[in-house]
Amino acid sequence: MSLVTLLPFIVLIGAMFLMTRSAKKKQQQAVDMRNQMQPGSGVRTIGGMYATVKEVNDDTVLLDAGPGVELLFAKNSIGAVLSDDEYNRIVHGIEHDLKSDADIVPDDASSLTGTDASADDAAASGDKSVDLGKKDADDAPADAPVVDAAPAEAKTDEQAKKSDGGSEAK
């Protein structure tokens, strides 16, 4: 056999070797993480439950999920061991202020624009502000055209008669 025919098989075996190697590495990291659990650590199970480790045995872990709630789990069911800050942030909603010296970002864009710069610019350029609000008939300007409401009422009466067509057929 020539080298050209063996090359695809060699590449395939090499790729399989690399994939199994990375899977074994991840498995070893998970085992190390579970072995580092100590009572008082915050954990997340693979089912998504957050609890505090109360006791660690060879294959099992006793978790405290709340006042008076103790649960026995297999060690393999622990998905992640959390740091104290992360556990408190997720479970209790307590934010640890790591950036106390950082600038505070406002919730709105008012600090990013000038205080009244847009109003001053509009007045300087002679632009009028446009009011897009709905106006009542009493608020209409004197030069506004008068609209007759009678044709609109006639149309709605005709539509009501057309939609009520079954009543005359009886």
Side-chain angles (χ1 to χ4, degrees):
M1 285 179 129
S2 69
L3 183 62
V4 174
T5 56
L6 290 178
L7 187 63
F9 294 113
I10 294 171
V11 170
L12 183 63
I13 291 171
M16 290 175 53
F17 173 74
L18 291 175
M19 284 190 278
T20 57
R21 182 175 165 210
S22 66
K24 285 182 181 179
K25 189 175 182 180
K26 287 181 183 179
Q27 243 178 357
Q28 186 60 40
Q29 287 176 346
V31 168
D32 291 342
M33 180 247 337
R34 290 182 185 118
N35 288 335
Q36 292 176 358
M37 278 189 299
Q38 298 175 356
S41 301
V43 295
R44 182 185 65 234
T45 65
I46 57 173
M49 184 183 73
Y50 293 92
T52 305
V53 176
K54 191 167 188 178
E55 183 180 315
V56 179
N57 298 321
D58 291 336
D59 295 330
T60 60
V61 178
L62 184 65
L63 299 178
D64 182 18
V69 180
E70 293 179 354
L71 304 167
L72 186 64
F73 276 82
K75 254 189 179 178
N76 292 339
S77 67
I78 304 300
V81 177
L82 307 171
S83 67
D84 291 338
D85 292 337
E86 186 177 10
Y87 181 78
N88 287 331
R89 180 182 60 81
I90 293 170
V91 175
H92 303 296
I94 300 171
E95 292 285 337
H96 182 68
D97 192 15
L98 296 175
K99 300 176 183 177
S100 61
D101 296 336
D103 294 334
I104 297 174
V105 179
D107 290 340
D108 59 357
S110 63
S111 66
L112 301 175
T113 61
T115 54
D116 286 333
S118 60
D120 294 340
D121 292 342
S125 65
D127 294 338
K128 294 183 180 179
S129 62
V130 177
D131 183 19
L132 299 176
K134 186 175 180 182
K135 295 184 179 183
D136 294 335
D138 298 337
D139 296 338
D143 60 341
V146 177
V147 178
D148 188 16
E153 290 175 6
K155 287 180 183 177
T156 57
D157 289 341
E158 289 174 12
Q159 289 175 352
K161 288 178 184 177
K162 287 180 183 178
S163 64
D164 194 28
S167 64
E168 293 179 10
K170 290 182 183 177

